[in-house]
Amino acid sequence: MNTLTKRLWKCISYCFPFRKKKPNDNAVEEIEIKQESLEKQPIEANSERETSYEVNSERETTIEANSERETSYEVNSERETTIEANSERETSYEVNSERETTVEANSEIETSNEVNSERETTVEAKRKRETTTKAHRKRKAANKSKSTRKTAKKPNVSPERDKLYCDECVSRQKRCFKDQVKTSIAKKKVFWTDFKRSNDFERGLLSRGWVKKIAPTFNAGPKKTVFRDPTYGHKIISRYDIQPNLILTRQRIELHLLKEDQITNHFCRVHATSKSGLCKVLRQWCLSCDANPHTFFPRCYMFSKINEKQAFIDDFTMTAACGILKWVLRTNGKSLQDEVIPSRKEKEEKTAICMSDAKINNHGPARIVPEDIIVTALVACQFHLYDLTHEDEDDIICAGIVDRKHFISDYYQVMHHGAHIQNSDKYVDYCHQLLCKLRRVNPQLDIDGEKNIWISKPRNLSRGRGIRCRNDLKDICSLGREWVVEKYIERPLLVYGTKFDLRQHFLITDWYPLTIWFYKHSFLRFSSQPFTLESLDTATHVCNYAIQKKLKNAPNRHPNLPEENMWHSDEFKEYLCTIGKEQVWDSIIIPGMKKALIHTMKATRENVKYRKNSFDLFGSDFLFGENFQPWLLEIQYKPGITKDTSVMWKIVPPMVEDMLRVVIDYKDDPNCNVGGFELIYKQANYTGNVSRSAPNTRTDARHPGLGSYFTS
């Protein structure tokens, strides 16, 4: 009897039971035993077995056993009949294709198993279920282990650790690491850090043979000090007070707690790293040297000082006067670079265009402002020019020249509400000549623009928080003592119509002599919105990545701009090549940034609390004018070097490695490779005596060279 016949027989027996009375357990067992014997023996043996049972029936003593056996004989006879039927069916199935019979048999078996699952008592079914259950459990366990491997955090150990099982290997590893710790302590190569993401620093130091002290503080005692093997994870608890030789931290450290030979990335009293401090140190420094900070740093005022607000009002009014002269040139089709005066017809067309624009911008008919505003602006700028070209200010009579309130009101009508100035074409030549003279002595004339926009910054906040652009004098003067106001660059260099700034890193390894290292790679941060002066929205004018990453890029931006609003400096140089300005990077941008950083650090040095064996990384933010001239905006102390974007992944790891080369390798070998850092300044005439005298505290609240030409 083949397998197919067995399955068919089982199916029929389950679907059409012949037993009228449910037999007890013993009878079921006997039926199963006899069923197996019947399947193995031919049909003729059943008759002999029937005779043997009749002979042995007299030995059975109980009536119940006889009845059970008779029932079993009836079942056997019925099953014999079923077997004959199965053989006939087998013949019919052999005629048909084997595939069709297999499908039908399987479907019948599945149906019978669902209906009569409780009746499955055969050994074959039990084995199949057990096998299936075990296989399912194995698959489930395997899937669970795979998912655990995907989600579980990878241990910071080497794959070689999995190959070492014996205790001798583990003890050998511990001995080797213990010897390494002793050697590093003897060579003064122990470091401590509280950086949460210091993998780049740790990787570079460990490759140089340093070991990391794991402790809550850098000066923790032996009970709290642990050394861990970075390869195999073995830990060694120190029994002695081991102080680190290199301390990397983002927190302030009390310098008196450090030993002289301990190296740390910390300086005290670097005033230039705050918004008000940068303004203060540059203003003090320009009084004692020949350099002019207004060639690289926009005008800035601290409202915490008593006379600063009045100085700002004077500067605001003078900038408005220069803006009126620029408006006259622009309206009549002339610029400072253009010496050709347009014809009368062209001037009339230009005037008509400006008048139509004024109607659109002011939501109504344009107002005509008298030409007296141009005369007032010319007189004020003439006195300002005289002030800038003559050091003696006592001979200037400037009080009571102009009514400031009336002048500012007319200025707002022209610049904010689109009004037109009467007979402005008569003053084109006068405005052009005077602005050309002012341009020679005022390096910030080109970046001022016409709108008189200023940017207000909180003194003690970072990452662009609280920064706003303002162009209303009353609104700006309402700010409190905790604000700094800086002139906004209204004509910046744009990339595909979008504003950007540049973050430049530099390293200081000593203040006496002053030693500055300039990193050759930098990155650009773009605004998410196209540039316009019609709106003073922060999303358009503030390029800090901490702000822009929370905003959605404008749909009308140029497609060549990056989605993550960041470029590597190499990408910017490629852009300069596409516009035919590849030479400005090496001839204007880089020299201008180096000059600004050197002058700023010279001005800052007088206030720094000096300590040998200290260093730190700084980040400077630059904005560029239309002529590619860099302007220093801020200096960040301990700038963030989190690898949030693909550009930061390219810059940060090599920069950290190069910084370790300068700080550690350069001390032992001055000829070593320092990577991307360039030594741009080292004080040459340093004699070794550090001046600790108090810095010059003389201040001048007014903008240098700016007289008070207006009265309230």
Side-chain angles (χ1 to χ4, degrees):
M1 187 181 298
N2 54 19
T3 306
L4 181 60
T5 305
K6 291 180 180 180
R7 292 181 179 177
L8 290 172
W9 179 84
K10 290 177 185 177
C11 179
I12 293 171
S13 62
Y14 289 154
C15 296
F16 305 95
F18 298 101
R19 290 176 294 184
K20 298 180 180 179
K21 184 187 289 187
K22 184 178 179 181
N24 55 17
D25 296 339
N26 296 329
V28 172
E29 292 179 1
E30 291 178 2
I31 291 170
E32 290 177 354
I33 294 170
K34 292 172 184 178
Q35 178 181 344
E36 292 177 0
S37 62
L38 288 173
E39 291 176 354
K40 294 178 182 178
Q41 294 179 1
I43 302 174
E44 296 177 358
N46 292 333
S47 60
E48 295 177 359
R49 200 173 285 176
E50 186 175 351
T51 307
S52 63
Y53 280 120
E54 290 177 357
V55 175
N56 296 325
S57 60
E58 295 177 357
R59 297 178 183 177
E60 293 176 354
T61 56
T62 60
I63 300 173
E64 293 179 359
N66 291 332
S67 62
E68 289 175 359
R69 287 178 183 175
E70 288 176 359
T71 305
S72 65
Y73 292 142
E74 292 176 358
V75 172
N76 290 334
S77 62
E78 292 175 354
R79 288 183 180 176
E80 289 175 1
T81 307
T82 305
I83 291 171
E84 293 177 358
N86 289 339
S87 61
E88 294 177 358
R89 290 185 182 180
E90 183 179 357
T91 305
S92 63
Y93 284 125
E94 289 177 356
V95 175
N96 298 328
S97 62
E98 293 181 357
R99 294 181 181 178
E100 294 178 356
T101 54
T102 304
V103 173
E104 291 176 359
N106 290 333
S107 62
E108 291 177 358
I109 291 171
E110 289 176 359
T111 306
S112 63
N113 287 336
E114 290 176 359
V115 176
N116 303 305
S117 59
E118 297 179 356
R119 299 181 181 180
E120 291 182 359
T121 55
T122 59
V123 178
E124 231 177 280
K126 289 182 180 180
R127 288 178 181 176
K128 286 182 180 180
R129 283 200 301 272
E130 290 176 0
T131 306
T132 305
T133 304
K134 290 180 180 179
H136 177 69
R137 289 176 180 174
K138 288 182 180 180
R139 286 196 301 271
K140 190 174 180 181
N143 294 334
K144 187 176 181 181
S145 63
K146 287 181 181 179
S147 61
T148 306
R149 284 193 219 104
K150 291 180 181 179
T151 57
K153 187 177 180 181
K154 294 183 179 179
N156 188 18
V157 296
S158 172
E160 298 178 358
R161 182 181 178 185
D162 298 335
K163 301 178 182 179
L164 305 177
Y165 299 101
C166 60
D167 295 338
E168 295 180 0
C169 295
V170 174
S171 60
R172 191 186 309 115
Q173 295 164 10
K174 290 182 179 179
R175 287 195 302 268
C176 293
F177 179 64
K178 189 174 182 180
D179 295 338
Q180 181 185 352
V181 172
K182 290 181 179 179
T183 304
S184 300
I185 294 174
K187 293 183 178 181
K188 296 183 177 181
K189 290 186 175 183
V190 180
F191 73 95
W192 177 89
T193 178
D194 62 353
F195 290 167
K196 295 181 179 179
R197 300 179 180 179
S198 58
N199 292 333
D200 296 321
F201 284 101
E202 291 185 12
R203 191 181 300 109
L205 291 170
L206 293 174
S207 64
R208 288 169 170 81
W210 288 64
V211 293
K212 180 181 179 181
K213 174 182 178 179
I214 303 176
T217 59
F218 74 92
N219 56 354
K223 294 182 180 180
K224 298 181 180 180
T225 300
V226 177
F227 295 95
R228 189 179 66 84
D229 188 350
T231 305
Y232 302 103
H234 305 313
K235 293 184 180 180
I236 297 177
I237 300 176
S238 175
R239 297 182 180 179
Y240 307 98
D241 186 11
I242 300 175
Q243 294 299 317
N245 308 102
L246 175 63
I247 301 170
L248 301 172
T249 178
R250 293 190 63 88
Q251 306 299 327
R252 181 180 177 182
I253 295 181
E254 298 296 335
L255 298 182
H256 67 274
L257 299 176
L258 300 176
K259 299 179 181 179
E260 292 184 0
D261 60 342
Q262 285 182 311
I263 305 173
T264 182
N265 63 327
H266 184 70
F267 292 121
C268 284
R269 296 206 304 255
V270 186
H271 291 174
T273 56
S274 66
K275 297 175 178 64
S276 59
L278 180 60
C279 177
K280 181 179 179 180
V281 297
L282 288 177
R283 186 177 298 175
Q284 292 176 353
W285 181 67
C286 72
L287 299 175
S288 59
C289 67
D290 297 332
N292 184 9
H294 296 290
T295 59
F296 60 85
F297 182 66
R299 304 188 301 280
C300 186
Y301 296 94
M302 301 173 291
F303 280 8
S304 59
K305 302 294 182 181
I306 298 176
N307 298 327
E308 288 285 292
K309 189 168 289 189
Q310 183 59 45
F312 163 73
I313 294 174
D314 294 341
D315 194 348
F316 184 92
T317 311
M318 180 54 59
T319 305
C322 294
I324 292 295
L325 303 188
K326 294 177 182 178
W327 183 93
V328 172
L329 293 183
R330 180 180 59 83
T331 304
N332 293 275
K334 192 176 182 63
S335 64
L336 290 176
Q337 293 80 13
D338 185 14
E339 299 295 338
V340 179
I341 300 177
S343 63
R344 184 177 185 85
K345 182 179 179 181
E346 293 175 348
K347 289 189 290 185
E348 291 177 355
E349 293 176 353
K350 185 69 176 178
T351 303
I353 294 174
C354 293
M355 293 287 289
S356 62
D357 291 342
K359 293 180 181 179
I360 297 174
N361 295 335
N362 288 279
H363 311 286
R367 177 191 167 190
I368 302 298
V369 176
E371 59 186 288
D372 294 343
I373 189 175
I374 301 178
V375 177
T376 302
L378 285 170
V379 173
C381 290
Q382 187 65 47
F383 274 98
H384 181 46
L385 176 62
Y386 186 86
D387 190 11
L388 292 175
T389 54
H390 295 76
E391 296 181 357
D392 188 6
E393 299 179 1
D394 296 334
D395 297 335
I396 300 177
I397 302 175
C398 56
I401 293 180
V402 177
D403 183 1
R404 178 186 289 112
K405 184 176 181 180
H406 184 266
F407 175 79
I408 293 297
S409 176
D410 289 343
Y411 171 79
Y412 286 160
Q413 290 295 326
V414 176
M415 298 299 173
H416 296 181
H417 305 291
H420 190 71
I421 303 176
Q422 189 178 17
N423 299 326
S424 63
D425 56 337
K426 297 191 303 183
Y427 301 93
V428 173
D429 293 338
Y430 297 105
C431 294
H432 182 268
Q433 294 175 7
L434 187 55
L435 286 175
C436 287
K437 293 178 181 179
L438 284 171
R439 191 182 185 191
R440 298 188 189 103
V441 294
N442 183 9
Q444 298 189 15
L445 184 66
D446 290 338
I447 67 172
D448 283 348
E450 303 173 14
K451 299 291 186 179
N452 208 353
I453 301 174
W454 295 74
I455 186 166
S456 58
K457 306 177 181 179
R459 291 176 55 188
N460 301 319
L461 294 181
S462 60
R463 298 191 296 275
R465 293 174 293 176
I467 295 179
R468 280 189 58 191
C469 292
R470 308 169 189 263
N471 59 359
D472 185 84
L473 180 61
K474 186 178 180 180
D475 182 25
I476 298 174
C477 291
S478 64
L479 298 175
R481 296 171 56 87
E482 298 300 321
W483 290 85
V484 173
V485 178
E486 183 179 273
K487 185 64 188 72
Y488 182 74
I489 300 176
E490 298 183 28
R491 299 178 62 183
L493 178 65
L494 304 178
V495 173
Y496 298 118
T498 305
K499 183 184 174 182
F500 70 95
D501 64 8
L502 183 142
R503 169 61 62 89
Q504 177 64 55
H505 293 97
F506 65 98
L507 180 68
I508 292 183
T509 54
D510 206 342
W511 290 100
Y512 294 94
L514 179 60
T515 308
I516 306 175
W517 299 80
F518 185 88
Y519 196 61
K520 66 179 181 180
H521 297 300
S522 54
F523 61 91
L524 279 67
R525 304 178 298 183
F526 287 91
S527 171
S528 59
Q529 310 297 321
F531 180 76
T532 178
L533 293 179
E534 298 301 325
S535 172
L536 301 182
D537 187 19
T538 303
T540 303
H541 301 281
V542 181
C543 300
N544 295 62
Y545 181 71
I547 293 178
Q548 295 297 333
K549 70 179 181 180
K550 301 176 183 178
L551 303 175
K552 186 177 180 180
N553 294 337
N556 58 339
R557 287 208 326 167
H558 196 279
N560 290 345
L561 291 172
E563 286 294 328
E564 56 187 5
N565 292 325
M566 196 172 289
W567 258 6
H568 193 279
S569 56
D570 293 340
E571 296 176 279
F572 180 56
K573 288 188 283 186
E574 292 176 1
Y575 168 78
L576 294 176
C577 293
T578 60
I579 62 175
K581 298 292 184 180
E582 60 274 6
Q583 73 280 358
V584 300
W585 178 261
D586 295 324
S587 61
I588 299 177
I589 295 178
I590 293 296
M593 291 193 296
K594 291 179 179 179
K595 171 190 171 183
L597 294 178
I598 291 173
H599 288 331
T600 305
M601 292 300 103
K602 282 183 177 180
T604 308
R605 178 178 55 180
E606 301 297 331
N607 301 301
V608 176
K609 186 175 181 181
Y610 176 71
R611 180 189 179 274
K612 204 71 175 174
N613 290 327
S614 293
F615 74 96
D616 213 341
L617 183 71
F618 296 83
S620 54
D621 296 338
F622 285 93
L623 198 67
F624 303 98
E626 291 179 334
N627 58 353
F628 302 97
Q629 176 67 32
W631 293 93
L632 178 64
L633 302 181
E634 294 179 0
I635 292 181
Q636 301 289 334
Y637 184 49
K638 299 184 184 298
I641 53 176
T642 306
K643 294 173 285 190
D644 293 334
T645 63
S646 60
V647 176
M648 296 301 289
W649 272 98
K650 294 179 183 178
I651 291 179
V652 173
M655 184 179 67
V656 171
E657 175 62 24
D658 295 341
M659 186 164 57
L660 294 177
R661 291 175 179 176
V662 173
V663 175
I664 297 175
D665 302 343
Y666 187 78
K667 283 189 174 183
D668 300 330
D669 182 14
N671 297 321
C672 71
N673 179 22
V674 293
F677 278 101
E678 176 190 357
L679 181 61
I680 61 172
Y681 183 81
K682 187 171 184 179
Q683 188 177 355
N685 57 349
Y686 171 68
T687 59
N689 298 322
V690 179
S691 176
R692 298 182 181 273
S693 59
N696 185 12
T697 57
R698 176 172 174 257
T699 60
D700 187 358
R702 292 188 309 171
H703 179 270
L706 179 62
S708 178
Y709 307 102
F710 301 89
T711 59
S712 301

